[in-house]
Amino acid sequence: EELHNELRQQALRDPLTGLYNRRYLADALERELARVTREKKPLSIIIMDIDRFKRINDTYGHQTGDQFLKMIANLIAGHSRTSDIACRYGGEEFLLVLPGTSIKTAAFRAEELRIQCNNIRIPYENKNLKVTMSLGVASHPEHGNEAYDIVLKADKALYQSKQQGRNRVSVWSETLAFNGHGTGK
């Protein structure tokens, strides 16, 4: 049984960061969304992307990039409640599900994460390297009732942060959908 539990955790967690992976996220997000809908509570999503991460890997090597991924994962995990779901969403993307959290509180928490990320330093030769993050926030029920819609809108808000110069938090608004900034990354 212990081996079975260990294998299950390996299937649901990202091996580098220890955060949940996309496979776990799919089920957990649907479950949490159903729960908060029943309870008539909000649910917010923060999507985070490390700015210019490819340049870190290309310039300083993948080991340095991996150090940043681990440190940012630790930062996210350290700023998460037990009810939150922290995931590595993609290469240098992270996603945080915040059940019972309003859009205003989620935006505040996203800004805290952005500021704390700016304080991370990794020594490399005679330098202290740093990175920044861009973040996007969307919430149920304001921005949708389906998990896919909320994630998509948080992702579009993230794109808005990138378009506006990176190292910032953007909250989804309907104006993003109509001003040409609502697609791609």
Side-chain angles (χ1 to χ4, degrees):
E1 190 170 316
E2 189 176 317
L3 178 61
H4 183 267
N5 285 339
E6 187 176 321
L7 291 173
R8 185 173 184 277
Q9 283 300 311
Q10 287 176 5
L12 301 177
R13 297 233 178 227
D14 173 63
L16 179 67
T17 64
L19 298 179
Y20 287 112
N21 60 26
R22 280 180 92 143
R23 180 183 304 164
Y24 179 82
L25 173 67
D27 292 337
L29 181 53
E30 290 293 340
R31 187 174 54 251
E32 286 301 316
L33 193 54
R35 186 180 62 75
V36 298
T37 300
R38 272 192 318 274
E39 296 173 359
K40 297 188 180 346
K41 291 184 177 176
L43 177 141
S44 294
I45 292 176
I46 302 172
I47 294 184
M48 301 155 262
D49 186 77
I50 302 172
D51 296 325
R52 297 183 172 96
F53 187 70
K54 183 178 179 339
R55 188 164 53 186
I56 293 286
N57 278 337
D58 291 348
T59 306
Y60 303 105
H62 289 275
Q63 283 185 321
T64 302
D66 286 353
Q67 283 182 285
F68 275 115
L69 291 171
K70 289 176 192 175
M71 291 188 78
I72 290 171
N74 288 340
L75 169 68
I76 294 166
H79 279 77
S80 296
R81 305 167 302 177
T82 55
S83 60
D84 296 341
I85 303 166
C87 301
R88 183 172 179 197
Y89 194 58
E92 70 272 10
E93 270 191 328
F94 299 90
L95 188 145
L96 189 56
V97 178
L98 307 167
T101 303
S102 70
I103 192 72
K104 183 179 178 181
T105 301
F108 179 78
R109 288 186 60 195
E111 181 64 12
E112 284 180 326
L113 286 166
R114 186 194 67 77
I115 291 166
Q116 289 298 314
C117 178
N118 288 344
N119 295 329
I120 293 173
R121 299 288 184 274
I122 292 185
Y124 182 87
E125 295 176 356
N126 295 330
K127 303 176 191 173
N128 276 321
L129 303 178
K130 68 178 199 163
V131 294
T132 60
M133 278 196 312
S134 295
L135 301 92
V137 183
S139 194
H140 159 82
E142 294 96 328
H143 304 132
N145 293 311
E146 301 294 325
Y148 174 81
D149 290 335
I150 302 163
V151 171
L152 181 64
K153 288 174 180 174
D155 196 47
K156 288 178 181 181
L158 166 64
Y159 178 75
Q160 179 72 11
S161 291
K162 296 254 182 210
Q163 289 293 107
Q164 291 180 343
R166 296 178 173 83
N167 190 25
R168 65 188 63 232
V169 174
S170 295
V171 174
W172 167 258
S173 71
E174 291 304 318
T175 58
L176 292 180
F178 300 109
N179 68 8
H181 296 295
T183 59
K185 215 183 310 181

